[in-house]
Amino acid sequence: MADVFFIGLSLSSILLLVALGLAITYGTMGVINMAHGELVMIGAYVTVLCQTHFGLHFLLCIPVAFVVTGAVGYAIERFVVRRLYGRLLDTLLATWALAIIIQQAIRLEFGAAFAGLHIDGLGPGLQNVPIPSFFRETFLVGDFVVQPYRTFIIVLTIGLFILTWWLIFHTSFGMQLRAVSRNRGIASCCGIDDKRINAWTFAYGSALAGAAGVMLAGFKTVSPSMGTPFVIDGFLVVVMGGVGSLFGTLGSAVILGEVQGWVASLLNDVLARAIVFGVIIVVIIIRPQGLFSRRGR
Amino acid sequence: MRRRDFLKKSGIALGAAGLTTFPHVWVKDYQYAWADDDEIQVGVLYSLTGTTAIVEKQLSKVTEMAIDQINANGGVLGKKVVPIIEDPASDPRTFNEKANKLVVRDRVPSVFGSYTSASRKAALPVFEKRKNLYWYPTFYEGFECSKNVIYTGAVPNQQQENFVPWITKQGYNKFFIVGSNYIYPREMAKVCKILVEREGGSWVADEYLELGHTEWGSMVNKMKTMWEAGECDCVYSNVVGDSIVAFRREFINQGLSYDKFPIFATVCSEIEVQAMGADYAAGSVTSFPYFQSVSNPANEKFVEDVKSTMGGDTVTYHAMECAYFQVFLWAQSVETAGEVDPLSVREASKGQEVDAPEGRVRIEPENLHCWLTPRIGVWGSDGQAEIVDEYAEPLMPLPYSAYGEAPDNLFCTQAGLDSSKLKT
């Protein structure tokens, strides 16, 4: 029983890790960022590169990836998204294009492949990230087998969630962000530099994706197209939880993860996936504004 | 001249002109000129871009390598072999278009290509309609009986007839069968179940995960729970692609180990082991007719040639080996036929043998699949398999073994598929 619950919790934490960044960019800024999956992918590649070229410890890759993807996110906001505020469909298309460009940049090793050069860790192939051995050794607590890696992801996700919550509700930056997301015009009339706020918010959302990328690199092979499936899962979580509601995202990630975990254990994985989608459809029909939000989409 | 007469006469004139100028439009089985005076063109149809490009690029290169080696030895029928390389971009529809282009426009008499079954099925109609010949190198699920495809990879009985009895002989007889959710693993599981029951064992689960799915937490937990309860004692894996890596990682991360709870896998060759990291494979077992560690002079030369053309860290594996030796089978069939047109080459290919890196291989005249030697390998921490069991002789290919095909009761023969046998 406990281990099924744990697997569900672990699934939730991965969903939340990916969705948290989206909850920020989509939920509070109203930008549909289709390149979010690619930011996750960049985080994973940062891990690969740091390990192959600098021999950096796996855990130290987290802050590095956080900063690098944050910087990439900042650049995306500065050069693309900023010019498209209020044009939802255009941002969707533009960021999707960016997603393709980022993927190809990794495949072509940022153009080095044209010159016949090869950078270890880039290119179209699959990459591997070994995780430290202490993450692989399970231990017993009573009857329960603790899996260190999954436990670590859960703890990290909770940590990042608390950080995000604190940032949004207990800092002046967060207060300005909430003001901008309610009404940009009035907020900037009150002297808030909305451009600066948006750029940093987008950078922070992207940085969260980077951290998610590091953790996912330990689970699966790293490849240029690895991020694409996550962006869909991420949006599902955010939409079901209610756009703009941080706790909604948390709640819906836990619900979807546990549903998936339990159904997979009692029936099978293929069915679990179908049932998860079924749950989402029902929720969206009954509560179009999402489970935990009072605002409409 | 009246209008009606004019139309009639010009119609006859056009028809006559057409008959003489484009006879192949009118005359069934009209033969093109298949080769120039000094060269023979052949098609090479593997994806150089897209999702399966990582493997298919290597298949394309190894085909070129084989052609170069044939040319260095004087070519075929004294002519140089020239590959026309197309990139179908991992997209079945593009496979069909490019196959059409190769067969109709370039008029090649044979095409080497495809890695996935989906792409083969998409290209197949072109070869059947145009009476051409397609050489397919991948192990696949069987259940196909085309007169226009030469299948050089293993079919389920060649991977499992040796494997399942070997597993039960090691003392494991409660199988947890797991696979990716599409036709190949499902057909493999059917054959496995027949064999397990024949050997007196039982299968306790037959589970699937979506293709490309990488979240294995629940599935591995299920295996673990059943194993701890004594309900199963080994895992029989038909998982393919990226999922393999996630599966093995999860298996180890949940604290399981192969020496107590082994994984016996059908789709896990050197390239997958390289992708997951040798540590995660060490101790698990695979059945394939070819491993890089097969020791004979032909294989040593093959491995060396591959490393010198594709880079020192390239590994060789079953599909790559088949993509290589099938070019030699083709060349030899052309020499036997004395001409290159596809139908003569097909007839000449029946019973044709070459010394492939894995040993002697032969094309079965009845179903155009290959006789291959089943082998079982245990993966070491260096990413290479130690071969622990091998047949003395190649094993006959039976593409319909999941439905009861046996050497004395063939479903697929030169006459085509006997579909009345399928129903029983």
Side-chain angles (χ1 to χ4, degrees), chain B residues 35-62:
Chain B
D36 292 344
D37 290 339
D38 51 353
E39 57 183 44
I40 300 170
Q41 293 184 324
V42 290
V44 178
L45 192 60
Y46 298 105
S47 307
L48 305 177
T49 53
T51 47
T52 53
I54 300 162
V55 172
E56 291 194 45
K57 230 183 200 168
Q58 297 189 336
L59 300 184
S60 183
K61 274 191 186 154
V62 89

Side-chain angles (χ1 to χ4, degrees), chain B residues 385-397:
Chain B
E386 186 200 339
I387 296 164
V388 290
D389 186 81
E390 67 183 302
Y391 275 26
E393 292 289 316
L395 180 68
M396 182 170 183

